[in-house]
Amino acid sequence: MTGLIAGAMLALSGIAWAAEPIEGNWKTASGETAAISKCGSAFCVTLKTGKHAGKQIGKMSGTGGNYSGEITDPEADKTYSGSGAVSGNSLKMKGCVMSVFCKSQTWTRL
């Protein structure tokens, strides 16, 4: 009986420490690799490959597959309000200017 309780407690502790769906490495629409990891109470998006490797291009907050915050176009060096939605191994990223002019792209989990 105690083994069963210990197993249940161990399983529940794993749930508490499970990573958010957004965390991990993603292939961007332009072919670079972006790493998304916890940074404080948010998730930071950092390019790992390409011309802008090492540059943080976003910061988002949220849980359960839906996130919002800011995303930067590293080529134009412009920051937009952004959102991300994870569905399986896809991350739909959306950046908007004044919540009217928006552009979306889908990233794939590596």
Side-chain angles (χ1 to χ4, degrees), residues 27-46:
K27 184 175 187 174
T28 69
S30 58
E32 285 91 6
T33 298
I36 303 178
S37 58
K38 193 83 169 144
C39 61
S41 62
F43 300 95
C44 289
V45 184
T46 305

Side-chain angles (χ1 to χ4, degrees), residues 26 28 30 32-36 43-49 52-60 69-75 77-80 82 93 105 107:
W26 298 88
T28 69
S30 58
E32 285 91 6
T33 298
I36 303 178
F43 300 95
C44 289
V45 184
T46 305
L47 288 175
K48 294 296 182 186
T49 62
H52 301 284
K55 181 173 181 146
Q56 182 179 316
I57 62 162
K59 194 169 190 177
M60 299 193 156
E70 293 183 333
I71 193 81
T72 299
D73 174 352
E75 202 61 44
D77 200 30
K78 293 192 179 199
T79 301
Y80 306 96
M93 297 292 281
Q105 53 181 246
W107 296 3

Side-chain angles (χ1 to χ4, degrees), residues 4-19:
L4 186 61
I5 293 171
M9 289 177 67
L10 185 61
L12 287 175
S13 69
I15 291 170
W17 293 102

Side-chain angles (χ1 to χ4, degrees), residues 85-97:
V86 177
S87 177
N89 287 324
S90 294
L91 171 60
K92 185 173 182 180
M93 297 292 281
K94 184 177 178 181
C96 298
V97 175

